[in-house]
């Protein structure tokens, strides 16, 4: 079965995001379906594979170009072939990451609307259990896996940018641009993945009476 960035069952909920009149039970059903779509292991695994392809492709392609520039020319046809193949892998990886990001935002926007709807339009009362749910979701395996890979990507991104800054101050090397590109990719990927988790947690926090009270205080 081919991979789908958005499952067919989710599309009707995405197309009808702004439905505040929905009954709480309908909103819960839609939110659960959309969450299961977004949190699929296949999405996480594909994103990890795409990141590895993009990172490896960028590093090899830019590293080869930097080395060729320092040596003063191409040593053979093999160098060109390696650069082209690596660039193609990087392009495919980045394209998949972009598609995952765009589809993920669509799914989470619809899920967030339905997670909030019972409290904002459905008359459901906020309860202390909402405080626990908004925090315990971070330890659910599919969410925790995304937090872990996002954190590792951010660490890799910071390390890459730091090395580039060091090379700018000290001495530019043949792989400095490659390291910088991979670091930038890691920062963007980490922020995107962590942003999705934060959007989910924010929507679940709608059922937290403490957070609702604090938020209303800021709005005064």
């Amino acid at each position: 079965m081919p991979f789908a960035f958005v499952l067919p069952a989710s599309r009707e909920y995405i197309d009808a995001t702004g439905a505040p009149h929905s009954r709480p039970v309908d909103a819960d059903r839609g939110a659960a379906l959309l969450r299961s779509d977004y949190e699929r292991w296949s999405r996480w695994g594909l994103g990890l594979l795409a990141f590895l392809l993009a990172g490896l492709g960028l590093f090899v392609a830019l590293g080869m170009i930097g080395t060729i520039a320092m040596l003063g020319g191409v040593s053979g046809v093999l160098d060109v072939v390696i650069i082209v193949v690596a660039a193609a892998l990087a392009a495919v990886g980045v394209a998949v990451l972009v598609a995952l990001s765009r589809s993920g935002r669509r799914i989470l926007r619809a899920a967030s609307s339905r997670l909030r709807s019972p409290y904002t339009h459905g008359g459901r009362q906020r309860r202390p259990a909402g405080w626990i749910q908004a925090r315990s979701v971070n330890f659910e395996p599919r969410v925790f896996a995304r937090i872990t890979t996002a954190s590792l990507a951010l660490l890799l991104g910071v390390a890459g940018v730091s090395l580039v800054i060091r090379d700018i101050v000290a001495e530019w090397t043949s792989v400095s641009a490659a390291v910088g590109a991979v670091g930038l990719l890691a920062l963007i990927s980490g922020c995107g993945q962590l942003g999705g988790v934060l959007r989910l947690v924010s929507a679940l926090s709608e059922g937290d009476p403490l957070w609702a009270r604090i938020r209303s205080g800021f709005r005064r």
Side-chain angles (χ1 to χ4, degrees):
M1 181 178 179
F3 178 84
F5 289 98
V6 179
L7 293 177
S10 300
R11 295 187 182 279
E12 61 176 290
Y13 293 99
I14 292 175
D15 295 338
T17 297
H21 57 277
S22 298
R23 296 179 303 166
V25 64
D26 296 329
D28 291 343
R29 185 183 301 111
L33 188 148
L34 290 163
R35 278 195 59 186
S36 66
D37 187 355
Y38 175 77
E39 296 172 16
R40 281 179 288 156
W41 284 114
S42 57
R43 283 183 62 90
W44 177 80
L46 181 62
L48 186 59
L49 177 61
F51 176 80
L52 293 175
L53 283 177
L56 180 62
L58 284 172
F59 186 83
V60 172
L62 294 178
M64 287 288 293
I65 292 172
T67 301
I68 289 170
M70 287 195 169
L71 293 177
V74 179
S75 61
V77 179
L78 181 61
D79 290 347
V80 178
V81 172
I82 292 174
I83 292 173
V84 171
V85 172
L89 288 177
V92 171
V94 170
V96 173
L97 288 174
V98 171
L100 285 170
S101 177
R102 294 181 62 183
S103 60
R105 283 200 303 270
R106 291 180 62 204
I107 296 170
L108 282 177
R109 191 181 300 117
S112 177
S113 174
R114 279 166 173 74
L115 287 169
R116 296 178 187 276
S117 180
Y119 301 100
T120 57
H121 299 93
R124 177 178 291 170
Q125 298 297 313
R126 297 179 175 90
R127 302 182 184 280
W131 186 93
I132 299 174
Q133 184 183 18
R135 285 147 186 85
S136 62
V137 67
N138 293 314
F139 298 99
E140 294 179 7
R142 294 185 295 181
V143 176
F144 187 75
R146 285 164 169 79
I147 294 175
T148 301
T149 49
S151 301
L152 292 174
L154 291 174
L155 287 174
L156 177 61
V158 171
V161 172
S162 299
L163 288 174
V164 170
I165 294 173
R166 184 206 63 181
D167 290 350
I168 291 175
V169 175
E171 182 181 0
W172 194 260
T173 69
S174 60
V175 296
S176 296
V179 170
V182 174
L184 183 60
L185 173 70
L187 284 176
I188 295 173
S189 299
C191 288
Q193 194 168 53
L194 197 58
V197 174
L198 290 176
R199 181 187 286 268
L200 175 61
V201 172
S202 175
L204 289 170
S205 295
E206 193 67 45
D208 177 6
L210 177 60
W211 171 241
R213 192 175 300 112
I214 294 173
R215 184 181 58 196
S216 62
F218 280 106
R219 291 177 177 175
R220 293 175 184 173

